[in-house]
Each structure stands twice: as C-alpha cells, then as structure tokens.
Amino acid sequence: MSSDDSSNERMNFQLLLRRRGIVDHAVLKAMDEVPREEFVEAGTREEAYADAALPIACGQTISQPFVVAYMTEQLRLRPHHRVLEIGTGSGYQAAVLSHLAAEVVSVERFRTLADRARLRLQRLSRDNVEVQTVDGYDLPDELGLFDRIMVTAAMEAVPDELLGRLTKEGILLAPVGPQQGTQMLTRFTRSADGVAREDLLEVRFVPALRGIARQL
C-alpha cells in the first residue's frame, strides 16, 4: 500500500468515527495514533480499518473500530487514571487506552494472546501498559483499585468483587447479557450512595470465561 493510500485510509477511518457520533477529540486522536494494522492477523490487514470485528487467535476477535472508540469515550478517561482492562485480546484496546490514561493493566486468560499483545505493545513503546495472564473473574489482591474498568467480553452479570475494585467515583463498562447473542453495553458508576447502572448500546461480544486457558 502506498503512503497516499495509507493516508486516505486513515482519513476515512476518522471520518467514519465522526459520522457514527464519536466527538471526543482525545479519543479520536488516540484512535488515529494507534496503528490498527499492527493488531490484526496477517491475512486481514487489508481490512484493518474497516468498521468490522475481525478474527484473531484462540477463537477471539478484535472489536470493530466504532465499538472501541465508543467504549473508550463512554469510560470518561482522565490523564491521571489507572485503568483495568479485562480481555486483552490483540492488545488494540489497551493501546488506545494507554494514550488517554496514566496506567493500564490488561488481563487475558489466553497466554498466547497475552504474550503476543505484550510484544506488540512493547514494539510500539506503550510502556504504561502491563499485560498479565490472569482470570478476569479471580483477580489477584495485589492489583488493587482502579479509577476505570473496561470489560471486553460478555458477562451475564458483573460480579460484586469486580465492582469492588472501583475507586470512589470510578466507572466500570461491560457488555452484560447472555454469552451467546446480544448484550447491553452497561456503565456502572460508583458514588457515596452506591453504584448506579446505565444501559448504553446493544453489542455482541465473545463470552468472558472463567479460569486460565490450559493450552492456549
């Protein structure tokens, strides 16, 4: 692909996100700065900037760009925030988050995905991202609390233990609903009065499974 073609592709990518309602300039800038082609499989690089989910290793997917941008925008990130991502996948969402937050901890149950994502992020000098092979339903105590939590796989219900990882006024974003079918992207906001829930958008995500995968 020529440099002109690449430039046009990235411009169309930004126009697509704007047309679909993404208005946060910091989010748009982060989406522009992360080379999505580095996070897709070799056979789908020509489709990297299409607004579609694409297959990656271990039967997982990289979410479509609009969903990545929308979830990032709805997380209401600030530069000082510490963020937890559950479901590293290719590492693309973590890379976007890393441009907007002070620290990103991303956990993945598939060791293959975690190892590949870690290498990609290191290659792109995203030094404020830490990738761990961890069960998202059983987080180590030493991970502590987070200002923001993003779950990138479908949960039938968000565990109280996960909501308990939020700091005061923290936000958790997750696709909630049946693991096969359509879920509701839901934002949970902690306050002195408890945790408020807000439904945002219908989505389809791969299921969030318990445990660390044995072979992959």
Side-chain angles (χ1 to χ4, degrees):
M1 182 181 295
S2 70
S3 59
D4 286 343
D5 288 341
S6 178
S7 177
N8 288 336
E9 188 175 56
R10 299 292 283 270
M11 185 180 300
N12 290 335
F13 182 66
Q14 286 285 304
L15 289 173
L16 166 73
L17 296 176
R18 291 173 185 271
R19 281 199 302 268
R20 295 210 58 183
I22 305 302
V23 297
D24 188 309
H25 292 292
V27 172
L28 289 166
K29 185 172 185 289
M31 294 291 291
D32 186 54
E33 289 178 342
V34 177
R36 185 171 164 90
E37 68 273 13
E38 295 295 325
F39 293 88
V40 301
E41 299 297 309
T44 60
R45 285 202 166 196
E46 292 295 322
E47 306 169 68
Y49 290 94
D51 194 28
L54 297 172
I56 58 173
C58 304
Q60 304 300 293
T61 60
I62 176 173
S63 295
Q64 69 186 91
F66 167 70
V67 171
V68 172
Y70 182 83
M71 291 181 70
T72 304
E73 189 173 61
Q74 295 302 318
L75 211 55
R76 298 175 178 171
L77 289 162
R78 297 293 179 267
H80 65 278
H81 282 159
R82 184 170 190 253
V83 182
L84 171 66
E85 179 195 26
I86 295 180
T88 308
S90 69
Y92 179 67
Q93 178 72 79
V96 172
L97 294 172
S98 74
H99 283 269
L100 299 163
E103 179 186 358
V104 179
V105 177
S106 185
V107 301
E108 172 58 59
R109 69 184 299 267
F110 290 103
R111 193 174 303 278
T112 296
L113 291 180
D115 290 346
R116 292 180 182 179
R118 191 179 297 111
L119 288 174
R120 291 185 184 109
L121 292 162
Q122 289 173 352
R123 191 162 61 242
L124 295 172
S125 300
R126 305 319 303 160
D127 300 328
N128 60 336
V129 183
E130 179 184 359
V131 178
Q132 296 188 18
T133 305
V134 169
D135 178 1
Y137 283 100
D138 187 21
L139 299 172
D141 291 342
E142 57 266 26
L143 286 184
L145 301 180
F146 295 87
D147 303 294
R148 299 289 187 267
I149 298 174
M150 179 185 285
V151 182
T152 59
M155 289 183 162
E156 293 183 352
V158 176
D160 289 340
E161 294 84 352
L162 189 55
L163 290 169
R165 292 282 181 161
L166 286 173
T167 59
K168 181 181 177 182
E169 300 181 357
I171 292 175
L172 183 150
L173 201 64
V176 180
Q179 294 190 332
Q180 303 299 327
T182 302
Q183 305 92 34
M184 179 61 68
L185 184 61
T186 307
R187 181 167 56 206
F188 299 84
T189 305
R190 177 175 292 283
S191 70
D193 298 324
V195 177
R197 172 176 176 155
E198 180 183 3
D199 292 339
L200 300 174
L201 181 74
E202 286 191 348
V203 290
R204 293 177 70 95
F205 276 81
V206 296
L209 302 177
R210 295 181 182 272
I212 295 175
R214 293 184 178 181
Q215 296 180 340
L216 297 174

